[in-house]
Amino acid sequence: MKDKLDGIKCAALDIIERAENTSQLNDARVKYLGKSGEISLLMRDMATVPKEERPAMGKLVNELRAAVENALNAKTELISQLELDRRLKEEAIDVTMPAKGKRTGTLHPLTLITQELIEIFANMGFSVTEGPEIESDLFNFQLLNIPKDHPSRDMQDTFYVNDSILLRTQTSAMQARIMTQSKPPIRVVVPGKVYRSDDDASHSPIFNQFEGLAVDKHITMGDLQGCLQTFAQKIFSKDTKVRLRPSYFPFTEPSVEVDVTCSMCHGKGCRVCKGTGWVEILGAGIVNPAVFDACGIDSSVYSGFAFGFGIDRIAMIKYGIPNIKMLYENDMRFLKQFN
Ligand code: PHE
């Protein structure tokens, strides 16, 4: 029995000596001093020891328990001191380091321009609405006087979902929705995303348009021109001039393409206007009576004008952004510049 005690003592002190952390020490405590630990079990073996040897044996076991306990306590203190030192070192804060600055977000340039546009047209009496980006062929094309197989569909490479559903190629789809759902007088602008299968420095498969529609009695091309003149001077600068050129859209008749004097060089000629002094910014025209008829508005009583332009293009011209992709890549170095 005495040999057994010596064996346990050697092994226990060795394990305690080699323990490297609190968890290993706890394991050792359980192994020797726990309820069914080796030293506790020795007490049970006491029954097999001859009666006259028991007091001496009992004393030895108690000494063993005390030795193991002392070793455990000493090592526990050492290790917790070491662990504390390590944590203090690891979690030390260098108060002389410069603080991490808080990064606050900014509005996206397209959001800024859209807000500015809405404000300009709201001041001219237009209300604002939005519409679905997944649109039916009916509103995007047919009610706008663009029947199936019409050649002008080729101008807008369409992403079709199925035969009759598509990603809207133009916010003009909302013209048809609004005119079938409400009665004149109508004055509304529609900002929103549109989609076309088109991809280069000035075209992105997703981009943003801004549509305008006014329907009332006695609306003329003069009203359209005045409205666009005001818009161009507010969004670019007071000296901006507007020029209307004849064009073609199935849903307006007559149709125009609208140029403004270049806001970068004020008409002198530069990179943005390719030396011409003018930049094309939008398509517009007098609402085609055929569209009124299709949408249920009396074309013998009412007339109207409509216009549509790319918000991206306005942002690019206004801020001198060379590539439309920069508006969609979310590079913080670029976006930060538009506070
Ligand atoms: N929807 C046309 C386009 O995307 C622009 C336009 C809108 C033209 C309204 C005339 C009237 O090119």
Side-chain angles (χ1 to χ4, degrees):
M1 178 101 177
K2 176 124 193 332
D3 290 347
K4 191 170 174 189
L5 293 190
D6 285 342
I8 290 176
K9 186 172 176 183
C10 272
L13 294 182
D14 188 47
I15 286 181
I16 293 165
E17 169 73 34
R18 281 188 290 132
E20 279 169 357
N21 52 44
T22 316
S23 127
Q24 286 173 3
L25 273 183
N26 284 339
D27 290 348
R29 190 180 291 277
V30 171
K31 182 169 160 62
Y32 292 102
L33 302 178
K35 252 210 188 110
S36 23
E38 289 184 26
I39 294 177
S40 315
L41 291 181
L42 283 176
M43 288 305 189
R44 270 200 341 225
D45 294 349
M46 212 50 100
T48 64
V49 175
K51 206 169 184 178
E52 56 287 3
E53 288 174 26
R54 273 186 212 161
M57 268 308 165
K59 195 170 165 243
L60 284 177
V61 172
N62 280 338
E63 279 170 10
L64 170 61
R65 175 189 293 277
V68 171
E69 242 163 29
N70 285 339
L72 271 171
N73 291 343
K75 187 76 188 227
T76 304
E77 199 164 314
L78 184 71
I79 282 185
S80 52
Q81 189 59 49
L82 287 176
E83 286 181 348
L84 182 64
D85 285 351
R86 202 189 57 230
R87 271 189 50 200
L88 285 176
K89 212 181 265 166
E90 274 174 10
E91 295 168 15
I93 294 172
D94 182 351
V95 293
T96 64
M97 292 275 280
K100 282 188 193 161
K102 275 212 189 92
R103 289 203 296 180
T104 47
T106 57
L107 291 178
H108 192 279
L110 289 176
T111 307
L112 289 171
I113 295 279
T114 305
Q115 287 180 347
E116 209 177 315
L117 290 167
I118 287 172
E119 164 105 18
I120 291 170
F121 284 99
N123 282 331
M124 288 193 269
F126 287 79
S127 59
V128 192
T129 190
E130 289 180 306
E133 290 166 35
I134 299 172
E135 185 53 285
S136 71
D137 193 279
L138 184 70
F139 291 115
N140 196 84
F141 288 130
Q142 291 171 45
L143 290 176
L144 295 174
N145 198 30
I146 313 172
K148 293 214 166 180
D149 306 321
H150 191 278
S152 78
R153 287 197 181 203
D154 298 346
M155 284 159 51
Q156 308 181 358
D157 284 313
T158 309
F159 292 112
Y160 283 93
V161 176
N162 61 32
D163 259 4
S164 54
I165 308 286
L166 43 80
L167 299 186
R168 69 176 174 194
T169 61
Q170 47 185 0
T171 43
S172 302
M174 278 303 287
Q175 284 190 42
R177 278 188 180 269
I178 291 161
M179 285 193 278
T180 49
Q181 282 157 23
S182 48
K183 296 213 153 24
I186 296 168
R187 274 173 187 72
V188 65
V189 289
V190 187
K193 298 189 190 76
V194 299
Y195 304 84
R196 292 182 199 178
S197 179
D198 207 351
D199 205 356
D200 60 36
S202 50
H203 296 91
S204 157
I206 178 173
F207 62 106
N208 284 267
Q209 278 191 336
F210 196 90
E211 192 83 9
L213 175 68
V215 182
D216 207 340
K217 290 174 181 154
H218 314 302
I219 289 209
T220 69
M221 191 67 106
D223 297 315
L224 172 64
Q225 182 162 15
C227 176
L228 294 178
Q229 177 79 50
T230 303
F231 143 73
Q233 289 180 343
K234 291 250 161 81
I235 197 80
F236 297 119
S237 59
K238 193 107 202 36
D239 61 350
T240 305
K241 289 191 188 58
V242 170
R243 148 176 116 176
L244 273 54
R245 283 181 289 110
S247 183
Y248 170 77
F249 298 101
F251 36 94
T252 46
E253 183 57 39
S255 301
V256 291
E257 239 146 60
V258 179
D259 302 337
V260 294
T261 43
C262 179
S263 67
M264 275 290 154
C265 61
H266 300 274
K268 285 198 228 32
C270 70
R271 178 180 57 85
V272 172
C273 58
K274 301 195 182 84
T276 63
W278 294 92
V279 282
E280 184 194 320
I281 56 161
L282 59 83
I286 295 299
V287 178
N288 192 328
V291 175
F292 279 149
D293 293 344
C295 294
I297 289 180
D298 189 344
S299 59
S300 67
V301 178
Y302 292 104
S303 59
F305 67 71
F307 60 85
F309 56 82
I311 299 173
D312 313 65
R313 184 151 170 75
I314 302 289
M316 290 169 76
I317 294 167
K318 194 169 154 116
Y319 296 131
I321 299 167
N323 189 320
I324 190 170
K325 298 294 162 14
M326 299 172 102
L327 292 168
Y328 295 97
E329 282 167 347
N330 291 333
D331 184 334
M332 291 292 286
R333 292 166 303 179
F334 170 74
L335 294 176
K336 268 202 312 231
Q337 303 172 55
F338 301 95
N339 286 321

